[in-house]
Amino acid sequence: ASLIAGTLARQQTEQKVERLAYFDEQTGLPNRVKFVLDLERQLASIASQQVACKVLFIDLDHFKRSNDSLGRDFGDWVLVETAKRIVSTLTNQDFAARVVGDQFVVALFGKASDVASFEQRIHSIHELLNTPYRIENYVYHGSASIGVACADADNQQTPQSLLKYSELAMYSAKSNGRNLIEYYTSNISDNAIAKAKLYDELRDAIEEDQFELFFQPQLNVSHEVIGVEALVRWQHPTRGLLSPTEFIEFCEESRLIIPIGRLVLQKACQAIHEFEEKGFRFPVAVNVSAEQMCDTRFASEVEEILRDADIKPERLRIELTESSMIKDTKAVESCMHLLRKIGVSFSLDDFG
């Protein structure tokens, strides 16, 4: 009896170890390791059969923001519900896994000639993930960016290449507006994934207030401080303190410069208020981009920020980048006129 009990205990331990090694504890789905092993086995049969495989790399759009605002328990429930929705669409041949966080992968199998069926199944998954999630009094309106990579007898791939290509396609979908399905093509480069990751990191940086201001004194010929320039830096959670040269150009391309610029102005005006309380009354220069100056709301936002910080407009000096002077001269001049009317001054410079 003791031998049987020992054998059963060992088997149970081995099963627990296997489950921890190959399955995601939260959703019950296989993990990336198990997905790769299963996919490798299934791909081996593709070469000798008229079978195709479509690997879907799924990322829930803006999930982190909802997780932070609604709470981790609600976020965990959404992940479990997402897993259930994905599994509900699968056939006996298909399988899915949770990669990490709010990212999932799916392997669909079928006749290589049945392209329409594949497309319908992929769109069904996308539609399900766009259906509102309801729990008690909460409603979560989710969406998903999906990248798709393909393999068949004429286009043989490894599990690693399918995961890489589907992930590239997913990040391309995110960089093109999110809530899209994109198929991998050779036109999608590693640059697409880098830009999409940077976009996500910058969105997090805005929400988590990861930007800091440093103040550089401006001196006259007598080496007296006549003002300071506010220089923005990004306190990246893994890469450390980053200078504007590493992110400002992309911010301008993606228009993230609008919310980031607003944060910088708010911090700078608050600093002006604190300087005045300590007896330092000199102007603070803040760099502003073309995108900000061409935003029709910019002048009124600056006026509101000055009012909230309880400082005189004369204490703020806006430094324009050279690009802002040539991008849309009429819009820039109109904005400058409005801001000069309330007392804000200008100078020409480059970002910090």
Side-chain angles (χ1 to χ4, degrees):
S2 60
L3 181 61
I4 295 173
T7 302
L8 289 172
R10 185 171 64 254
Q11 288 176 343
Q12 289 174 349
T13 300
E14 290 172 353
Q15 288 172 355
K16 286 180 181 179
V17 170
E18 182 180 4
R19 185 146 194 89
L20 288 172
Y22 294 122
F23 290 85
D24 172 55
E25 188 174 0
Q26 189 172 30
T27 64
L29 288 178
N31 59 19
R32 187 187 184 109
V33 175
K34 182 75 162 64
F35 184 85
V36 169
L37 291 173
D38 291 344
L39 187 56
E40 193 167 30
R41 185 178 64 255
Q42 290 286 85
L43 289 176
S45 64
I46 284 182
S48 59
Q49 301 176 24
Q50 297 301 310
V51 175
C53 171
K54 311 285 185 183
V55 170
L56 284 58
F57 203 110
I58 302 169
D59 182 277
L60 303 184
D61 298 325
H62 304 304
F63 174 77
K64 188 177 187 300
R65 189 187 310 170
S66 300
N67 195 35
D68 290 343
S69 61
L70 296 175
R72 187 172 296 276
D73 289 343
F74 185 82
D76 290 347
W77 178 85
V78 169
L79 292 174
V80 172
E81 179 64 20
T82 297
K84 290 178 180 177
R85 293 185 182 191
I86 292 171
V87 170
S88 72
T89 68
L90 306 182
T91 68
N92 292 335
Q93 287 181 294
D94 309 329
F95 49 89
R98 182 187 178 196
V99 182
V100 65
D102 60 344
Q103 295 181 337
F104 299 81
V105 286
V106 178
L108 302 179
F109 293 86
K111 292 181 180 179
S113 59
D114 203 348
V115 177
S117 176
F118 273 118
E119 289 185 353
Q120 188 275 326
R121 293 162 67 192
I122 292 169
H123 279 279
S124 292
I125 293 173
H126 190 238
E127 287 175 8
L128 266 181
L129 299 182
N130 273 269
T131 304
Y133 294 68
R134 302 177 187 276
I135 179 173
E136 296 179 354
N137 296 324
Y138 293 101
V139 179
Y140 169 65
H141 296 277
S143 67
S145 299
I146 301 178
V148 184
C150 312
D152 54 37
D154 298 325
N155 178 33
Q156 296 185 36
Q157 301 288 342
T158 65
Q160 289 75 18
S161 65
L162 285 170
L163 283 170
K164 177 185 177 181
Y165 295 151
S166 60
E167 185 178 17
L168 279 168
M170 179 273 290
Y171 275 111
S172 179
K174 288 172 77 70
S175 64
N176 287 329
R178 301 170 186 264
N179 198 24
L180 299 171
I181 300 169
E182 286 214 18
Y183 288 76
Y184 174 78
T185 69
S186 57
N187 294 328
I188 296 176
S189 66
D190 288 341
N191 190 44
I193 191 170
K195 282 190 172 183
K197 283 185 174 179
L198 179 58
Y199 184 91
D200 279 349
E201 289 177 343
L202 283 165
R203 290 292 308 182
D204 289 344
I206 294 167
E207 293 167 14
E208 297 172 8
D209 194 19
Q210 295 174 4
F211 297 101
E212 297 181 10
L213 290 189
F214 293 80
F215 295 94
Q216 179 174 288
Q218 296 174 322
L219 310 177
N220 61 16
V221 291
S222 302
H223 299 287
E224 297 170 329
V225 176
I226 57 172
V228 295
E229 181 179 5
L231 306 176
V232 64
R233 298 292 183 265
W234 178 12
Q235 186 62 60
H236 193 281
T238 58
R239 296 169 59 196
L241 199 64
L242 304 182
S243 75
T245 57
E246 300 193 55
F247 60 91
I248 287 296
E249 184 177 353
F250 178 77
C251 290
E252 292 177 339
E253 291 175 7
S254 63
R255 290 188 61 79
L256 285 175
I257 195 67
I258 302 295
I260 291 173
R262 188 182 304 117
L263 278 176
V264 170
L265 274 170
Q266 288 170 341
K267 287 177 178 288
C269 289
Q270 184 58 43
I272 293 172
H273 181 85
E274 293 172 2
F275 289 154
E276 290 185 342
E277 286 187 332
K278 295 176 181 178
F280 301 109
R281 291 178 174 81
F282 39 67
V284 173
V286 179
N287 290 287
V288 171
S289 74
E291 282 70 20
Q292 290 171 272
M293 291 295 292
C294 293
D295 186 345
T296 56
R297 301 164 298 178
F298 182 66
S300 59
E301 285 182 351
V302 171
E303 192 169 6
E304 182 182 348
I305 290 169
L306 289 167
R307 186 167 55 250
D308 290 345
D310 192 25
I311 60 172
K312 295 178 180 179
E314 294 78 12
R315 298 281 184 248
L316 175 65
R317 178 184 298 135
I318 289 179
E319 293 196 338
L320 299 174
T321 61
E322 292 181 11
S323 62
S324 67
M325 299 302 294
I326 60 176
K327 181 169 183 177
D328 189 338
T329 305
K330 190 174 180 180
V332 171
E333 287 180 351
S334 174
C335 186
M336 289 177 69
H337 176 70
L338 290 171
L339 290 172
R340 279 196 175 116
K341 280 179 67 176
I342 65 172
V344 176
S345 60
F346 291 85
S347 61
L348 184 65
D349 194 17
D350 290 318
F351 262 100

